[in-house]
Amino acid sequence: MFCPYCGFEKTKVLNTMKGLQNKRYRVCDKCKRSFVSIEALFCDPYWQEYAKATKELGDLKGIKNE
Ligand SMILES: [Zn+2]
């Protein structure tokens, strides 16, 4: 995850609050400023059907061809 203040790519996770959205408290290795990143869930039925269909084809090549 890139630092939103200075763009540095190494940030440390200080704490994670787990739930339907995981919130990660991070601090930048370079400028030492902190920020929060959010990991969100998507339960779109379309993607469930798509995952099932590609599994039935026996491989994941279908993803590359589209
Ligand atoms: Zn930074």
Side-chain angles (χ1 to χ4, degrees):
M1 177 90 27
F2 287 94
C3 170
Y5 301 107
C6 72
F8 193 62
E9 64 179 310
K10 284 185 181 167
T11 56
K12 278 197 189 104
V13 176
L14 296 179
N15 199 357
T16 303
M17 285 183 67
K18 289 184 179 172
L20 288 176
Q21 283 193 336
N22 287 352
K23 288 180 185 171
R24 293 186 209 280
Y25 293 84
R26 296 172 181 268
V27 64
C28 175
D29 270 359
K30 194 177 176 188
C31 70
K32 308 294 180 193
R33 287 205 256 189
S34 58
F35 58 98
V36 176
S37 66
I38 296 172
E39 182 181 279
L41 272 172
F42 291 92
C43 297
D44 190 332
Y46 172 79
W47 289 107
Q48 289 175 18
E49 289 304 309
Y50 188 85
K52 234 193 283 176
T54 52
K55 204 177 175 185
E56 281 165 10
L57 287 174
D59 59 22
L60 296 173
K61 282 179 187 169
I63 292 173
K64 283 181 185 172
N65 293 338
E66 288 197 18

